[in-house]
């Protein structure tokens, strides 16, 4: 028998860039598009602001997943190329996560434009479900 | 009237004793400084017994150096002992400050480590015996300190007063530290006794443009001796590492491996290397790159963990590899 | 000065938007207990005067020095609350906003417990950030009086005239050889049936005469750098190979030119020559030699036009010029292209000769068009007796564009009326999905078309068109949805009411200016309700169909609004830019140079082994700060300490 009271609810931290993805998340709100209540949002001006240090700190603090959302490459970034830096750092970080024994699927980079409110909601739902299946952050038990 | 000498005790953790050599270096090069110091405990080079040191009154020793990381039970005990007996305790060297190279044991567990080390092809161990913490031989009970799964830096074990990084700390830095202690001109507690500026400042190489198209390992090219190695595609941790060592590795044509640890503003040396290298690798033409090309570009870095956390894994944010399997 | 943070937290009910989902009492009780929080209050509308008054009072009485408002999105009211702090003597940058509406109650309406948890977490993160906020001084930038307007259609022209009349300098850049845009191609305009050229050309002439307008036609904006008050623009002026000042429009060159090319102005229904004037009232009134189609730009290849040019205005040696302009504001009015039914082979356009677009019909209706005002069937050039209009081509359709193009209902009714005016005996039937006659006089116009002019209206989306291969007549298959019966109708000609799509150059301009566009390609306004002509980039505004489908009155209104917006920016002479630039700690930097090339604005240089940042160029993206391996760069208002505090507080313990 499944004990519903102890069902694991992922806690996901999202870094959203001001111009595209944060506005996209706002649009989901104005459009009343409902999505899973598992995301906590930190606004940054650009996805290029996201230091891998923040992502590792989030994992250490118990976040089950980390979402970084920026503007579509190659040319949507309000600051021209911040998203391209974010993308390269992300792929290097994934290799580190592999070596650290943390599932790379827990850190996700997505491109969400200011007009993609519904898509943003879909991404949150998908990511939440994926983390739910994967289980809690493995660092939490240790 | 004779000047009372500064009492110094040196404790060892999981160390290679390179730091002991640094202290010996000090003796050779700066006898006047060395002569102002009275070593009351130094297992490597001096004859005092542990029991004698334990019997000293608490906080009766002016200065303590602890080098080596905390990798087993004995390291921990010595650390606590040194803290008890000394007034000012300096975390000496990369291992004590950041975990050092022994910190890379955090990629595995004691169990896995022993299973590998005591069964190598060149080890004669047909019964695959492994060290035990306690055993009895000929009626005598023998004890070995327990090896921890996770290597720690000194400050996770005890309160540290100052940090002196480096593998080992270079003579000028140690000299400055001792002088500061002798003259009572120490900075605030918790500070690192090395400049809070990165290595590039004292590196003699010429820096041009940071936009690396391709990564080379140091043996794959013959690098230009005058130019910045990072500019030439050889990963050098200089930009994420404190200066103070005189950039000697660079002068010997080897890239910096980060043994002095990061500045006070960089919380995680490896994360900063990923941030910076990820930004400048493939910078030219970044707009035309596909997702696949980005992946291939980053695959040039074969071992980010080993390279970027060579000396600082235990001091990093995640500290160790996660061993819980799915 | 590191004072102890004393935070005031203000919870907004936002009517029932927030309070209808979250138990505000519980949220208030939670907020009160957070570290550094000295006072917590709630109110129905925090952004209102009484709401603001609560904050003002606490600043003075409770001596709070940091403010957190838990309410809507900061994109809406961050400026509102910042102003309150500023007016009460507190730095506006000691304010943080916790978004618990757009990113909480509005998206978790049926989960009140979870919404409450999110609100608690968000406020906790916000308070931790607020405790670490620093006093920042906004940058003042000098702003001059020069505006760049990209696009010389009715919107660009209207904006240019308003600004020029107000005394500002206007650079109007238009990519085709003449200004006038799409409006010049129209015959009559609804609902007044004004002749389009008649109301447009006087404005075009005003532009050419205005001392404050510098007109660049056959020119394109290639690069824009800088920021408001300091835009550096590169314009590529293509060579017309004709000296505008010498050309007398005698037309001899056109007569003798041997090359014939489809005439874009006449919707490709007629020919023009390689050397031509787009239309007689073109501004500037100069002929232009189309390099692509000319035989060779040298007497060896042809040279006939030079032979007959009396005023010696033709010059094959003209070259493209790069012009640099320094401007303070930019208005984007790049217009639209009609939807091209060839994309989806809509209704076999392009294969059935007698299926035409509304623009082609418009040119035929025009007395100075390719048929001198006679409406004829392309297959036999005979006048059609029966015409069918298909509405919503390229609009309101998942396969093409989801949006409504707004003008097609009215222009179809207009053209139908014109047809019936010329030939009362022909049958004109409009197959519509809806008739959107929303504007002033529109409904009356539509009713008259049906009642007085006998235009027939049938509700149904045309499913298929078939062609009789011999006579080239067309059979239209459609469901009459009001009667509920399928219909098969033979007709002589079908007009596709094509919708509005963004100009083909819009994407290039978007990349050059770094302004966002929606999924349809129309430029995005900063706020759909309250800031309809601003973009998110300070100093760049949008107007006309480039911002979305609209008719001429709306385009002109928006253009005038953009001119007003630009004037408001330029008039004070100074613009306050948010101090979101970065600073570099000289004591940590060792001059590794990682930051230099990665900055897209080239704001950083290395001097004497230290990185130096130019605050005027820095946009505050923070890419350098995260990349800096020394940790020496600090982006204002988004520092490592502030973000790390939010990270640490994010996961509920």
């Amino acid at each position: 028998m499944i004990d519903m009271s102890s069902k694991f609810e992922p806690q996901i931290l999202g870094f959203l860039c001001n111009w595209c993805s944060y506005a996209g998340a706002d649009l989901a709100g104005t459009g009343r598009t409902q999505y899973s209540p598992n995301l906590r949002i930190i606004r940054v001006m650009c996805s290029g602001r996201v230091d891998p240090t923040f992502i590792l700190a989030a994992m250490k603090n118990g976040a089950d997943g980390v979402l970084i959302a920026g503007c579509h490459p190659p040319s949507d970034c309000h600051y021209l190329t911040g998203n391209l830096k974010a993308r390269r750092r992300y792929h290097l970080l994934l290799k580190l996560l592999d070596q650290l024994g943390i599932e790379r699927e827990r850190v996700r980079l997505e491109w969400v434009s200011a007009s993609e409110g519904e898509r943003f909601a879909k991404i949150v739902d998908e990511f939440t479900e994926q983390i739910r299946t994967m289980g809690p952050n493995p660092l939490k038990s240790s | 009237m004779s000047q009372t000498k500064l009492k110094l005790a040196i404790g060892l953790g999981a160390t290679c004793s390179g730091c002991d050599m640094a202290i010996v270096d000090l003796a050779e090069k700066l006898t006047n400084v060395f002569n102002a110091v009275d070593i009351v405990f130094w297992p490597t080079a001096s004859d005092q017994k542990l029991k004698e040191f334990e019997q000293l009154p608490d906080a009766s020793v002016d200065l303590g150096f602890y080098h080596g990381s905390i990798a087993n039970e004995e390291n921990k005990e010595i650390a606590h002992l040194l803290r008890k007996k000394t007034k000012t305790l300096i975390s000496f060297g990369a291992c004590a400050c950041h975990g050092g190279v022994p910190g890379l044991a955090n990629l595995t567990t004691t169990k896995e480590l022993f299973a590998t080390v005591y069964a190598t092809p060149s080890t004669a161990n047909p019964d695959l015996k492994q060290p035990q913490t306690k055993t009895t031989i000929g009626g005598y009970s023998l004890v070995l300190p327990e090896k921890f799964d996770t290597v720690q830096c000194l400050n996770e074990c005890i309160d540290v007063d100052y940090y002196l990084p480096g593998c080992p700390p270079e003579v000028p830095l140690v000299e400055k530290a001792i002088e500061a202690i002798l003259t009572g001109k120490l900075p605030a507690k918790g500070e690192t006794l090395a400049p809070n500026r990165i290595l590039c400042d004292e590196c003699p190489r010429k820096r041009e443009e940071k936009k690396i198209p391709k990564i080379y390992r140091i043996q794959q090219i013959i690098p230009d001796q005058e130019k910045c190695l990072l500019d030439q595609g050889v990963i050098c941790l200089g930009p994420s590492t404190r200066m103070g060592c005189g950039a000697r590795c660079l002068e010997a044509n080897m890239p910096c491996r980060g043994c002095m640890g990061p500045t006070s503003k960089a919380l995680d040396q490896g994360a900063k290397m990923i941030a910076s290298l990820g930004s400048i690798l493939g910078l030219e033409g970044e707009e035309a790159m596909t997702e696949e090309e980005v992946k291939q570009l980053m695959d040039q870095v074969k071992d980010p963990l080993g390279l970027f956390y060579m000396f600082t894994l235990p001091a990093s944010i995640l500290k160790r590899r996660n061993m819980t399997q799915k | 000065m590191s004072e102890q943070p004393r935070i005031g937290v203000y919870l907004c009910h936002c009517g029932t938007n927030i309070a209808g989902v979250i138990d505000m009492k519980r949220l208030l009780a939670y907020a009160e207990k957070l570290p550094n929080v000295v006072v917590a209050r709630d109110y129905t509308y925090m952004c209102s005067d009484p709401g603001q008054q609560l904050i003002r009072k606490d600043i003075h009485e409770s001596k709070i020095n940091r403010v957190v408002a838990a309410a809507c999105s900061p994109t809406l009211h961050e400026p509102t609350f910042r102003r309150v702090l500023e007016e009460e003597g507190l730095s506006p940058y000691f304010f943080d906003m916790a978004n618990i509406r757009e990113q909480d109650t509005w998206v978790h309406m049926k989960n009140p417990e979870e919404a409450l948890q999110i609100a608690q977490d968000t406020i906790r993160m916000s308070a931790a950030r607020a405790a670490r906020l620093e006093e920042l001084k906004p940058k003042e930038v000098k702003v001059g009086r020069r505006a760049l307007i990209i696009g010389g259609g009715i919107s660009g022209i209207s904006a240019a005239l308003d600004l020029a009349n107000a005394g500002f300098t206007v650079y109007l850049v238009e990519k085709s050889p003449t200004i006038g845009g799409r409006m010049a191609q129209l015959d009559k305009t609804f609902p007044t049936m004004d002749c389009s050229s008649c109301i447009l050309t006087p404005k075009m002439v005003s532009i050419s005469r205005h001392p404050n307008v510098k007109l660049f036609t056959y020119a394109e904006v290639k690069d824009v750098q800088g920021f408001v008050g300091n835009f550096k623009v590169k314009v590529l002026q293509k060579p017309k190979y004709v000296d505008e000042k010498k050309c007398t429009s005698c037309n001899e060159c056109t007569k003798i030119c041997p090359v014939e090319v489809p005439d874009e102005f006449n919707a490709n229904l007629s020919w023009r020559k390689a050397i031509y004037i787009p239309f007689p009232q073109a501004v500037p009134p100069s002929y232009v030699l189309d390099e692509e189609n000319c035989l060779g730009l040298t007497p060896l290849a042809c040279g006939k036009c030079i032979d007959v040019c009396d005023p010696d205005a033709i010059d094959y040696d003209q070259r493209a010029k790069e012009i640099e302009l320094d401007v303070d504001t930019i208005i984007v009015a790049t217009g639209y292209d009609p939807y091209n039914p060839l994309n989806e082979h809509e209704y076999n356009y392009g294969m059935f000769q007698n299926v035409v677009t509304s623009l082609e019909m418009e040119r035929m209706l025009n007395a100075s068009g390719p048929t001198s005002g006679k409406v004829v069937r392309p297959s036999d050039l005979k006048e059609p007796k029966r015409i069918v209009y298909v509405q919503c081509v390229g609009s309101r359709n998942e396969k093409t564009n989801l949006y409504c193009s707004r003008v097609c209902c009215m222009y179809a009714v207009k053209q139908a009326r014109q047809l019936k005016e010329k030939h009362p005996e022909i049958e004109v039937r409009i197959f519509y999905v809806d008739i959107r006659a929303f504007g002033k006089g529109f409904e009356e116009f539509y009713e008259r078309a049906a009642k007085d002019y006998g235009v027939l209206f049938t509700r149904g989306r045309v499913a298929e068109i078939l062609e009789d291969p011999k006579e080239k007549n067309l059979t239209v298959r459609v469901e009459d949805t009001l009667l509920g019966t399928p219909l098969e109708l033979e007709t002589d000609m079908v007009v596709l009411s094509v919708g509005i799509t963004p100009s083909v150059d819009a994407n290039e301009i978007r990349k050059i200016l770094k302004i966002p566009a929606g999924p349809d390609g129309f430029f995005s306004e900063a706020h759909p309700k309250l800031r309809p002509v601003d973009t998110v980039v300070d100093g760049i505004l949008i107007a006309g169909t480039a911002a979305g489908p609209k008719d001429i009155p709306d385009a002109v209104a928006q253009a005038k609004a953009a001119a007003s917006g630009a004037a408001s920016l330029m008039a004070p002479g100074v613009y306050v830019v948010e101090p979101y630039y970065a600073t570099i700690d000289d004591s940590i930097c060792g001059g590794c140079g990682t930051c230099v090339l990665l900055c897209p604005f080239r704001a950083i240089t290395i001097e004497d082994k230290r990185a130096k940042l130019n605050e005027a160029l820095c946009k505050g993206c923070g890419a350098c700060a995260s990349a800096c391996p020394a940790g020496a760069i600090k982006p204002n208002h988004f520092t490592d300490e502030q973000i790390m505090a939010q990270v640490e507080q994010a996961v509920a313990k």
Side-chain angles (χ1 to χ4, degrees):
Chain A
M1 177 124 118
I2 304 167
D3 180 1
M4 294 306 278
S5 62
S6 64
K7 193 159 165 236
F8 158 62
E9 270 312 307
Q11 290 183 291
I12 299 173
L13 179 58
F15 292 93
L16 268 49
C17 78
N18 183 63
W19 304 98
C20 287
S21 46
Y22 192 90
D26 273 352
L27 185 62
T30 21
R32 309 293 194 278
T33 312
Q34 309 294 294
Y35 54 85
S36 314
N38 301 68
L39 181 69
R40 302 296 178 270
I41 294 171
I42 292 180
R43 178 169 78 132
V44 288
M45 293 313 279
C46 177
S47 52
R49 178 69 189 97
V50 179
D51 188 333
T53 311
F54 304 155
I55 302 172
L56 295 179
M59 297 301 300
K60 167 154 170 259
N61 272 285
D64 301 300
V66 178
L67 173 70
I68 306 123
C71 306
H72 288 264
S75 34
D76 273 20
C77 178
H78 182 74
Y79 304 99
L80 313 189
T81 55
N83 56 351
L84 304 177
K85 272 76 169 173
R87 181 167 65 171
R88 294 200 295 279
R89 293 172 193 162
Y90 170 71
H91 282 287
L92 204 44
L93 180 67
L94 289 184
K95 292 167 69 76
L96 181 72
L97 291 176
D98 289 343
Q99 292 183 293
L100 285 171
I102 295 174
E103 303 101 314
R104 50 159 67 190
E105 291 79 11
R106 291 188 184 272
V107 178
R108 190 158 161 168
L109 179 64
E110 285 285 352
W111 309 119
V112 178
S113 81
S115 57
E116 292 180 306
E118 282 189 23
R119 185 158 167 269
F120 177 75
K122 203 157 150 251
I123 289 171
V124 177
D125 281 339
E126 267 175 30
F127 194 29
T128 303
E129 186 49 41
Q130 184 181 32
I131 303 279
R132 204 177 274 128
T133 321
M134 284 168 63
N137 179 337
L139 303 174
K140 278 208 274 231
S141 47
S142 47
Chain B
M1 190 146 86
S2 70
Q3 208 168 6
T4 30
K5 284 193 181 181
L6 192 77
K7 291 210 184 74
L8 171 65
I10 300 165
L12 276 65
T15 182
C16 69
S17 277
C19 289
D20 289 324
M21 293 304 111
I23 298 166
V24 170
D25 265 353
L26 198 70
E28 285 181 4
K29 292 177 180 142
L30 301 164
T31 37
N32 56 326
V33 173
F34 200 67
N35 285 339
V37 162
D38 182 19
I39 298 182
V40 301
F41 180 71
W42 190 6
T44 316
S46 194
D47 206 28
Q48 302 92 338
K49 304 292 180 236
L50 183 62
K51 279 203 173 50
E52 293 169 5
F53 184 59
E54 279 168 341
Q55 274 153 21
L56 291 177
D58 286 355
S60 61
V61 179
D62 301 294
L63 180 61
F65 287 168
Y66 186 101
H67 61 87
S69 50
I70 312 286
N72 66 30
E73 188 58 48
E74 183 186 60
N75 303 151
K76 203 164 154 194
E77 283 173 15
I78 298 288
H80 282 291
L81 183 65
L82 201 67
R83 178 72 273 184
K84 244 182 28 169
K85 303 298 176 188
T86 58
K87 291 202 194 82
T88 303
L89 179 57
I90 293 186
S91 172
F92 193 97
C95 295
C97 292
H98 302 111
V101 173
L104 292 175
N106 287 357
L107 289 172
T108 180
T109 57
T110 303
K111 191 158 169 249
E112 277 182 16
L113 210 57
F114 281 4
T116 308
V117 164
Y118 292 99
T120 67
S122 56
T123 305
N125 185 9
D127 298 328
L128 294 178
K129 293 200 185 132
Q130 289 186 5
Q132 305 298 310
T133 47
K134 198 173 181 165
T135 194
T136 329
I137 290 184
Y140 289 97
S141 172
L142 296 173
V143 176
L144 273 181
E146 177 200 345
K147 163 105 187 57
F148 300 139
D149 275 336
T150 299
V151 173
Q152 292 182 317
C153 6
L154 184 62
N155 66 1
E156 293 186 77
C157 191
I158 53 162
D159 273 336
V160 166
D161 295 315
Y162 298 101
Y163 300 86
L164 196 50
C167 182
E170 284 288 319
V171 167
L173 283 182
V174 185
E175 179 200 356
K176 278 204 192 73
I178 294 184
E179 262 186 37
I181 294 160
L182 287 173
T183 55
K185 289 206 183 105
L186 282 165
K189 280 224 190 290
E191 291 286 312
T192 300
L193 302 175
N196 198 20
R197 194 190 292 282
I198 57 169
L199 188 68
C200 303
D201 185 81
E202 61 183 2
C203 175
R205 289 173 181 257
K206 214 169 137 250
R207 290 179 282 288
E208 284 169 359
E209 294 196 314
K210 290 277 176 309
K211 49 166 184 174
I212 310 168
K214 189 166 145 69
I215 301 277
Y216 296 99
R217 299 180 70 177
I218 190 62
Q219 75 277 14
Q220 285 178 318
I221 57 166
I222 298 178
D224 184 316
Q225 311 239 34
E226 316 279 307
K227 292 196 193 150
C228 168
L229 285 180
L230 198 50
D231 284 355
Q232 298 177 63
V234 177
I235 299 179
C236 172
L237 267 64
S240 66
T241 307
R242 283 189 198 245
M243 62 186 278
C245 56
R248 293 190 7 168
C249 297
L250 272 305
E251 283 174 21
N253 260 339
M254 284 298 286
C256 169
R257 294 296 189 213
C259 78
M260 288 282 285
T263 66
S264 65
K265 290 292 188 182
L267 295 175
D268 185 309
Q269 193 176 29
K272 272 304 189 183
M273 281 310 295
I274 287 178
S276 61
L277 198 64
S279 304
I280 57 181
L281 184 57
L283 181 61
E284 197 153 49
E286 59 179 346
E287 280 159 47
M289 247 183 236
T290 64
E291 192 85 12
E292 198 46 54
E293 283 165 346
V294 170
K295 280 197 195 117
Q296 281 176 14
L297 191 67
M298 295 307 143
D299 278 340
Q300 289 183 77
V301 183
K302 300 295 174 198
D303 177 13
L305 195 148
L307 187 54
F308 300 150
Y309 288 109
M310 193 179 284
F311 290 87
T312 57
L313 185 58
S316 71
I317 290 178
L318 292 182
K319 297 189 193 313
R320 65 157 300 120
R321 176 185 159 79
N322 163 52
M323 302 308 290
T324 62
Q325 293 301 321
K326 247 270 94 164
Chain C
M1 68 133 182
S2 47
E3 42 173 16
Q4 184 66 21
R6 295 173 59 81
I7 305 176
V9 178
Y10 300 90
L11 311 180
C12 184
H13 292 216
C14 196
T16 52
N17 281 315
I18 296 176
V21 177
I22 291 180
D23 184 336
M24 299 306 282
K25 279 202 174 57
R26 283 168 68 189
L27 189 61
L28 188 67
Y30 181 83
E32 278 170 350
K33 298 201 195 71
L34 287 171
N36 295 312
V37 170
V38 172
V39 60
R41 300 194 196 285
D42 68 319
Y43 189 65
T44 32
Y45 296 103
M46 273 316 297
C47 54
S48 67
D49 241 14
Q52 294 179 23
Q53 198 50 37
L54 293 173
I55 301 177
R56 292 181 204 273
K57 202 157 165 258
D58 284 335
I59 290 176
H60 296 294
E61 292 181 13
S62 307
K63 301 278 184 257
I64 57 169
N65 54 26
R66 304 283 187 277
V67 174
V68 168
C72 53
S73 171
T75 50
L76 229 62
H77 277 307
E78 186 171 62
T80 314
F81 292 113
R82 277 190 178 165
R83 214 173 304 124
V84 173
L85 270 71
E86 202 169 17
E87 285 167 9
E88 300 309 317
L90 208 54
S91 167
Y93 297 97
F94 282 149
F95 170 75
D96 195 55
M97 199 132 175
N99 184 337
I100 61 171
R101 190 184 73 171
E102 280 87 337
Q103 293 178 2
D104 186 13
T105 57
W106 273 357
V107 290
H108 308 304
M109 297 196 295
K110 300 217 177 69
N111 301 21
E113 274 307 310
E114 285 85 346
L116 174 63
Q117 182 66 58
I118 292 179
Q120 290 177 345
D121 294 343
T122 309
I123 293 173
R124 184 178 66 239
M125 289 161 73
S126 192
R129 175 177 157 76
R132 289 159 180 78
L133 290 173
E134 294 169 358
E135 188 163 11
L136 300 171
K137 297 261 174 327
K139 273 197 298 208
E140 268 190 2
V141 187
K142 277 228 273 279
V143 183
R145 303 173 67 86
R146 306 153 300 190
L148 167 71
I149 299 183
I150 308 179
I154 186 59
S155 301
I157 289 172
S158 304
L161 287 174
D162 270 13
L163 280 170
N165 287 339
F168 295 95
T169 303
V170 176
Y171 300 109
L172 182 55
V173 176
E174 164 58 47
K175 76 167 194 274
S176 59
T178 173
I179 55 175
R182 293 279 170 208
M183 193 174 165
Q185 291 178 286
L186 303 180
D187 182 37
K188 303 238 186 326
T189 57
F190 59 78
T192 50
M193 295 307 244
D194 279 313
C195 149
S196 185
S197 290
C198 306
I199 55 179
L200 174 65
T201 44
K203 287 199 188 284
M204 288 165 61
V205 172
S206 297
I207 289 282
S208 68
R209 292 237 175 90
H210 209 298
N212 289 340
V213 177
K214 189 128 199 308
L215 181 59
F216 300 91
T217 53
Y218 219 38
E220 289 177 48
V221 171
K222 284 300 184 198
D223 189 56
V224 173
Q225 301 291 337
F227 51 95
V228 62
N230 203 353
F231 287 116
K232 299 235 178 293
V233 182
K234 288 209 178 88
V235 174
L236 179 67
Q237 169 75 69
K238 289 187 343 215
K240 288 188 180 179
Y241 301 106
V242 175
D243 185 338
E244 289 176 12
K245 296 196 190 63
K246 290 192 185 155
C247 172
T248 57
S249 305
C250 67
N251 209 38
E252 291 303 312
C253 54
T254 299
K255 287 205 277 209
I256 201 130
C257 175
V259 179
E260 280 193 327
V261 171
D263 185 354
E264 308 92 339
F265 187 77
N266 275 332
N268 296 337
L269 290 178
S270 63
W271 301 98
R272 65 159 170 85
K273 300 297 184 72
I275 186 163
Y276 68 108
I277 189 165
F279 55 92
Q281 304 93 339
V283 166
S286 162
Y287 278 59
V288 55
L289 177 48
D290 168 10
E291 180 175 350
E292 263 180 60
N293 293 298
C294 171
L295 288 177
L297 279 178
T298 152
L300 294 173
C302 175
K304 293 204 168 70
C305 53
I306 277 198
D307 291 339
V308 300
C309 181
D310 228 11
D312 219 1
I314 300 175
D315 177 10
Y316 292 156
D317 291 326
Q318 274 189 12
R319 289 286 170 267
K321 267 194 304 184
E322 191 180 84
I323 301 170
E324 288 189 10
L325 298 172
D326 288 334
V327 301
D328 304 285
T329 55
I330 300 177
I331 297 180
V332 182
T334 46
Y336 73 93
D337 286 333
Y339 173 78
N340 185 352
L342 278 177
N343 292 348
E344 297 282 332
H345 305 295
E346 310 269 345
Y347 305 113
N348 299 111
Y349 173 79
M351 297 195 301
F352 296 171
Q353 286 178 286
N354 292 326
V355 174
V356 302
T357 65
S358 46
L359 190 61
E360 288 164 359
M361 173 58 84
E362 188 80 23
R363 289 313 300 155
M364 283 200 273
L365 284 168
N366 190 302
S368 31
T371 57
S372 305
K374 265 178 65 170
V375 175
V376 295
R377 292 171 10 126
S379 62
D380 51 16
L381 296 180
K382 292 217 185 87
E383 289 185 351
K385 298 271 183 319
R386 306 162 294 181
I387 302 179
V388 155
Y389 271 77
V390 179
Q391 296 304 105
C392 300
V393 177
S395 310
R396 306 184 68 194
N397 188 334
E398 272 179 2
K399 273 202 319 185
T400 55
N401 295 303
L402 281 174
Y403 57 85
C404 164
S405 289
R406 207 169 155 111
V407 299
C408 326
C409 291
M410 289 309 295
Y411 77 50
V413 173
K414 170 202 79 172
Q415 288 187 344
R417 258 179 66 151
Q418 285 178 277
L419 288 164
K420 291 295 264 184
E421 265 174 6
K422 288 191 191 218
H423 308 282
E425 76 287 356
I426 71 173
E427 179 185 282
V428 181
R429 185 185 292 269
I430 300 182
F431 284 106
Y432 68 94
V433 181
D434 293 290
I435 293 290
R436 295 184 161 174
F438 54 87
K440 235 173 163 179
F442 287 13
E443 184 69 21
E444 298 88 322
F445 187 78
Y446 158 49
E447 281 214 18
R448 275 199 74 195
K451 291 204 183 120
D452 299 344
Y453 288 84
V455 177
L456 302 167
F457 290 88
T458 302
R459 187 177 183 279
R461 203 188 259 272
V462 170
E464 200 182 0
I465 297 186
L466 307 166
E467 188 191 45
D468 160 19
K470 249 188 16 175
E471 299 295 321
K472 305 289 184 187
N473 291 346
L474 302 153
T475 302
V476 175
R477 281 192 172 158
V478 61
E479 183 202 349
D480 181 337
T481 56
L482 292 177
L483 291 178
T485 52
L487 212 55
E488 218 176 76
L489 202 68
E490 201 193 55
T491 186
D492 300 323
M493 196 168 171
V494 169
V495 181
L496 303 179
S497 290
V498 289
I500 285 182
T501 63
S503 152
V504 68
D505 307 298
N507 206 27
E508 264 312 301
I509 291 288
R510 191 179 65 77
K511 283 195 229 165
I512 292 172
L513 293 175
K514 295 289 150 215
I515 54 176
D520 314 312
F522 296 107
F523 294 112
S524 303
E525 51 279 287
H527 188 272
K529 293 247 191 311
L530 299 179
R531 297 184 68 201
V533 292
D534 295 306
T535 62
V536 290
V537 179
D538 296 337
I540 302 183
L541 302 96
I542 49 176
T545 48
K550 54 179 66 77
D551 55 16
I552 293 166
D554 286 344
V556 173
Q558 198 177 29
K560 282 166 149 306
S564 164
S568 302
L569 273 174
M570 294 188 285
V574 140
Y575 185 76
V576 176
V577 177
E578 287 199 317
Y580 286 1
Y581 49 83
T583 56
I584 300 183
D585 189 337
D586 224 45
S587 65
I588 301 178
C589 174
C592 72
T594 299
C595 52
V596 175
L597 281 185
L598 66 78
C599 175
F601 307 103
R602 296 291 185 266
I604 307 181
T605 50
I606 302 283
E607 280 166 42
D608 275 327
K609 271 201 274 192
R610 301 285 176 261
K612 294 269 180 283
L613 187 140
N614 179 341
E615 290 174 6
L617 291 176
C618 175
K619 303 257 197 181
C621 70
C624 60
S626 38
C628 176
I633 305 183
K634 184 171 97 160
N636 280 346
H637 213 59
F638 293 91
T639 67
D640 283 348
E641 287 78 14
Q642 290 157 4
I643 297 176
M644 281 298 277
Q646 290 174 279
V647 170
E648 277 156 24
Q649 294 302 321
V651 176
K653 309 283 180 278

